[in-house]
Amino acid sequence: MNKLLHLLHLGKSYGIMHDIVLSYPPFQYTIEPTNACNLACVFCPQSNPAHASIRPKGYLKPENFLRFLRKVEEVKPGNRNLNLTLDGEPFVNPHFLELVKMTIENKFFPIFATNGVLLNRERVNELVAMGPFRASIDFSSDENIFETIRGRKGDFGAVFENLRHLIMLAQSNSNIHIDVHDITSFSGADPAISLARMRQLFPQKLPSKIRFSSRKFHNFCGHLNFDHSKSKYRLCPYPWTQMAVTYTGDCVACCRDTAARSVFGNVFQSSLMSIWNNEAYKQFRQNLLLQHPELNAACKECDLPHSGHESRWNPIYVVHSLLGR
């Protein structure tokens, strides 16, 4: 199935027919290298002391990752992008670079989010030698705000140096794609002003594959005091678009279900399509269609369905977003 045909099937089932049994495989795949992290950022569930007790800490093993890649290949995906992120910091997994290499060798395009602390010159150089990838990194122009949010002193300089080296290499290497997100607005700063200040820290003329934006924050685990309950309800697209997998192989609701509150099956033990259309997944979609996200464990405290004011619900944004994933 090619990418455009895949999106046409997806758009019909999600936007028009509101199907709960899907004729196509997931369009996006996310698998978790680890749920361990080296930081405890205040906007992240990792900052909750109880978060560590929800799921045992562990790492995705290369042999299990290869098993997952084979399962994805079986469904002939129209999208070759693969997200190596869920909960945790991917570089904490000692095998992470091997996982990236395996992704590229199997002709998938690796995408990952990292806090940048462990993304030193040596690791960057190893990544660049492997082939194409996209790295998503949070940063700020304000050292004090950055380190207050991150919960640890001394990391601003390290991340800044790592980012500068990565961006320098990306200017002459078309394989390197970078998304730099400004997190300063979490402190109450004006997003446009803080983003402009952060942008000034880097060369002004950069390739379009190096992108800068403001981070949007969501309460997806009940860890933040955001209330969008009075906003217009919007149908969450994730159960129609994405399959998210923990390091143990459990298929969870989406990339926001870091606590694995809704588990539909295990991809190391079952085929992807048998999970994608099982009774639990169908009921999950049905609950969202009936505008009862509270019936889904993963959705009870998530504010996404009521974030109707955001640009993410604009059809042009949705199409552009999926085409880039």
Side-chain angles (χ1 to χ4, degrees):
M1 184 180 295
N2 65 46
K3 196 169 191 177
L4 183 56
L5 183 60
H6 201 157
L7 283 174
L8 287 173
H9 283 291
L10 185 159
K12 180 182 178 182
S13 289
Y14 167 69
I16 301 173
M17 303 302 295
H18 291 170
D19 296 325
I20 61 171
V21 177
L22 307 180
S23 62
Y24 57 88
F27 184 77
Q28 298 172 253
Y29 295 90
T30 293
I31 189 165
E32 176 183 69
T34 180
N35 62 339
C37 192
N38 54 335
L39 298 179
C41 304
V42 295
F43 58 76
C44 178
Q46 290 277 351
S47 63
N48 181 355
H51 186 74
S53 64
I54 297 174
R55 289 197 291 138
K57 297 296 181 185
Y59 309 105
L60 177 63
K61 298 177 180 179
E63 57 268 30
N64 283 336
F65 182 55
L66 183 59
R67 188 182 307 175
F68 172 73
L69 290 175
R70 295 288 180 263
K71 294 288 184 75
V72 176
E73 284 288 8
E74 286 175 4
V75 301
K76 298 178 172 56
N79 181 17
R80 305 298 297 186
N81 295 340
L82 183 63
N83 288 273
L84 296 165
T85 306
L86 187 62
D87 193 17
E89 162 57 41
F91 282 96
V92 171
N93 185 332
H95 304 293
F96 182 63
L97 288 175
E98 183 179 353
L99 300 181
V100 174
K101 184 178 181 181
M102 292 169 64
T103 304
I104 296 171
E105 288 177 344
N106 283 274
K107 296 181 173 54
F108 287 92
F109 179 72
I111 302 171
F112 58 88
T114 172
N115 57 45
V117 175
L118 301 176
L119 191 61
N120 56 30
R121 285 176 175 250
E122 181 180 356
R123 292 191 176 100
V124 166
N125 293 340
E126 284 189 64
L127 276 170
V128 172
M130 292 177 189
F133 66 90
R134 179 182 296 281
S136 175
I137 306 171
D138 289 343
F139 197 53
S140 169
S141 62
D142 189 300
E143 181 175 356
N144 182 59
I145 290 176
F146 180 79
E147 295 186 345
T148 299
I149 290 174
R150 288 303 199 193
R152 202 169 74 172
K153 294 292 183 182
D155 285 337
F156 178 88
V159 175
F160 188 25
E161 180 60 29
N162 293 343
L163 257 178
R164 287 199 297 183
H165 179 62
L166 182 60
I167 288 174
M168 179 196 71
L169 294 178
Q171 292 181 75
S172 58
N173 189 326
S174 60
N175 281 336
I176 308 173
H177 302 253
I178 310 169
D179 291 325
V180 185
H181 303 287
D182 177 36
I183 60 173
T184 316
S185 63
F186 189 79
S187 68
D190 181 277
I193 294 175
S194 61
L195 176 60
R197 287 175 177 168
M198 185 187 74
R199 183 64 185 84
Q200 291 174 359
L201 297 175
F202 304 97
Q204 294 305 296
K205 292 184 178 181
L206 290 173
S208 59
K209 58 193 175 60
I210 304 174
R211 306 182 297 197
F212 296 82
S213 63
S214 294
R215 168 71 68 194
K216 292 185 182 297
F217 299 95
H218 284 282
N219 182 28
F220 50 89
C221 278
H223 61 295
L224 299 175
N225 187 26
F226 293 167
D227 184 13
H228 297 296
S229 59
K230 296 181 181 180
S231 301
K232 180 179 179 180
Y233 179 84
R234 305 281 183 154
L235 181 62
C236 177
Y238 288 133
W240 283 264
T241 62
Q242 179 191 91
M243 179 172 282
V245 178
T246 69
Y247 75 90
T248 61
D250 284 341
C251 173
V252 297
C254 67
C255 56
R256 298 166 183 267
D257 190 12
T258 58
R261 295 178 178 182
S262 295
V263 177
F264 305 112
N266 191 285
V267 301
F268 299 154
Q269 301 168 6
S270 305
S271 69
L272 300 190
M273 290 304 292
S274 68
I275 296 172
W276 188 234
N277 280 319
N278 66 18
E279 291 302 317
Y281 232 135
K282 288 189 290 185
Q283 187 60 58
F284 193 92
R285 295 184 185 110
Q286 186 65 40
N287 290 340
L288 293 179
L289 287 169
L290 295 174
Q291 299 190 21
H292 284 296
E294 74 279 0
L295 297 179
N296 296 334
C299 308
K300 282 182 179 179
E301 297 172 296
C302 180
D303 64 352
L304 182 60
H306 295 285
S307 301
H309 62 286
E310 291 193 359
S311 61
R312 69 173 60 246
W313 301 111
N314 184 299
I316 296 176
Y317 173 90
V318 173
V319 172
H320 183 268
S321 177
L322 287 175
L323 283 171
R325 295 185 181 187

